[in-house]
Amino acid sequence: MKKYSELVITDLKAAAKTLSNDDLVAIPTETVYGLAANAFSENAIDKIYQTKNRPQTNPLIVHLHNFEQLPKVAKTIPKQVELLAAHFWPGPLTVVLEKSDAISTKVTAGKNTVAVRVPNHELTLALLRSLAFPLVAPSANKSNHISPTCPQHVFNSLKEDSPLILDGGICSKGIESTIIGFENHKPTIYRLGSISKEAIEAVLGTSVQLANHEVSSIAPGMQKKHYAPRTPFISCTNLQEELKKYPNKKIGVLFFTENPLAKQMLHYRILSSSGCVEEAMANLYKMMHELDELELDVILSELAPEKGVGASINDRLTRASS
């Protein structure tokens, strides 16, 4: 049986050697922990899908250590991408571009486009700089479950399938990157994430559309049900009314901010006592994990204000409750 203490490492050379041997390593980023593999090795890529029980139709994100590497994995780089990269990289923005021949269709789920980003975590950037290849790294957890924001979350989800875990502490942003592409040359957000739609529009100087998730699966994280705890999970706009539906049940509640209802609850978490959407975003998965470990009958969550990254929080809560 694998032991957590034996899997968690800080040795970059050991991580690099493992990855060079086509094995997996869980790596820290500013968003969530990723299950990393050599982006140029189909054998290593297969191990990601097997370990996560991930559908082959769900593409992976390629991780680079700087913008200059982008031509190795993408054929064409629009001026808008250069502008976004100059402003947000390293950081939690993923861009979808036409893939180069070096990228296998196993990475892209058979499509001719590839999702790419430069993570903003010094430990992982140092690892990437030491490698002769980029990494693919979806979240380091079983498919559709809550993403991990610390090493313990990785181990709790993957258990006997856990690889080595490079310990980079707690992820600062707390939810996945925002994914943007260019449909008919129009900037299109495929996944809301750590960077708000408004922030991207401010940099581009133009409006940005949201993709239709019902018809498009060009990017990771677009499934209707995703980011879900094991416990039945319900997001709602009226907590007081929703609570009445579960008499004599062991209930957990995820509040966005301070709420008088909390005094009535035995099991609850408050995402941000000050009502700060960025703080709430950073705490979201951590607190979902904590409530999920309490063996509750149901977890209820109120939605965040639909502004800035509040929209990204609500996206995760809605998918978790689908």
Side-chain angles (χ1 to χ4, degrees):
M1 180 178 290
K2 290 183 176 179
K3 294 182 179 179
Y4 174 76
S5 59
E6 295 171 351
L7 292 174
V8 178
I9 62 169
T10 56
D11 185 348
L12 286 178
K13 289 184 178 179
K17 181 178 179 180
T18 300
L19 290 161
S20 297
N21 289 334
D22 278 0
D23 285 323
L24 308 183
V25 176
I27 60 170
T29 75
E30 78 281 24
T31 57
V32 300
Y33 273 73
L35 188 62
N38 181 348
F40 294 155
S41 167
E42 292 195 347
N43 178 48
I45 292 162
D46 283 339
K47 290 180 181 180
I48 285 180
Y49 282 99
Q50 292 162 6
T51 300
K52 282 180 62 69
N53 295 331
R54 186 181 179 92
Q56 296 282 342
T57 53
N58 195 357
L60 307 174
I61 295 176
V62 176
H63 290 61
L64 309 175
H65 64 78
N66 62 25
F67 176 80
E68 286 66 34
Q69 286 191 296
L70 194 52
K72 294 181 180 179
V73 299
K75 281 187 177 178
T76 54
I77 304 168
K79 288 291 183 183
Q80 285 178 309
V81 169
E82 293 184 24
L83 188 61
L84 289 169
H87 195 85
F88 292 116
W89 280 3
L93 183 73
T94 295
V95 296
V96 177
L97 302 167
E98 183 182 1
K99 80 176 190 69
S100 75
D101 294 338
I103 295 297
S104 166
T105 52
K106 286 193 173 186
V107 171
T108 66
K111 299 173 180 66
N112 68 348
T113 53
V114 62
V116 191
R117 86 177 183 103
V118 178
N120 190 16
H121 194 292
E122 191 49 49
L123 195 62
T124 288
L125 286 172
L127 175 64
L128 284 162
R129 286 191 289 267
S130 75
L131 298 169
F133 47 83
L135 297 173
V136 282
S139 58
N141 57 289
K142 291 297 183 181
S143 190
N144 288 342
H145 292 178
I146 314 169
S147 299
T149 58
C150 70
Q152 188 70 57
H153 292 165
V154 176
F155 184 76
N156 290 351
S157 181
L158 297 179
K159 297 183 173 63
E160 280 300 301
D161 293 325
S162 290
L164 289 178
I165 304 169
L166 186 61
D167 187 358
I170 298 170
C171 301
S172 60
K173 296 295 182 183
I175 67 169
E176 295 79 6
S177 61
T178 302
I179 302 179
I180 189 169
F182 300 88
E183 290 189 4
N184 301 318
H185 305 291
K186 293 181 180 179
T188 302
I189 290 178
Y190 296 114
R191 180 178 73 184
L192 292 165
S194 297
I195 297 174
S196 70
K197 176 175 177 285
E198 295 87 343
I200 292 171
E201 289 175 334
V203 170
L204 293 179
T206 186
S207 61
V208 176
Q209 62 187 357
L210 297 177
N212 184 344
H213 287 204
E214 298 302 317
V215 298
S216 179
S217 60
I218 198 169
M222 298 186 74
Q223 304 95 320
K224 185 177 180 182
K225 183 173 178 63
H226 206 28
Y227 317 112
R230 298 182 304 273
T231 310
F233 188 92
I234 298 167
S235 61
C236 56
T237 54
N238 191 327
L239 270 176
Q240 200 150 18
E241 288 301 311
E242 196 67 31
L243 281 166
K244 295 176 183 177
K245 299 177 184 178
Y246 302 96
N248 305 316
K249 294 290 185 181
K250 190 178 179 183
I251 301 172
V253 178
L254 192 60
F255 293 101
F256 169 67
T257 190
E258 295 288 351
N259 190 313
L261 280 175
K263 296 177 181 178
Q264 305 171 26
M265 305 307 305
L266 183 61
H267 306 289
Y268 70 92
R269 296 292 186 277
I270 295 172
L271 291 173
S272 173
S273 58
S274 64
C276 171
V277 288
E278 286 79 13
E279 181 184 20
M281 179 179 72
N283 284 330
L284 179 63
Y285 288 156
K286 170 180 174 285
M287 292 183 176
M288 286 175 72
H289 276 287
E290 289 173 356
L291 290 174
D292 197 29
E293 291 167 5
L294 298 179
E295 298 184 357
L296 303 168
D297 295 318
V298 64
I299 299 171
L300 305 181
S301 176
E302 67 176 338
L303 296 169
E306 191 76 12
K307 64 177 182 180
V309 294
S312 305
I313 294 170
N314 291 343
D315 172 78
R316 300 308 190 271
L317 294 174
T318 301
R319 290 176 190 276
S321 62
S322 290

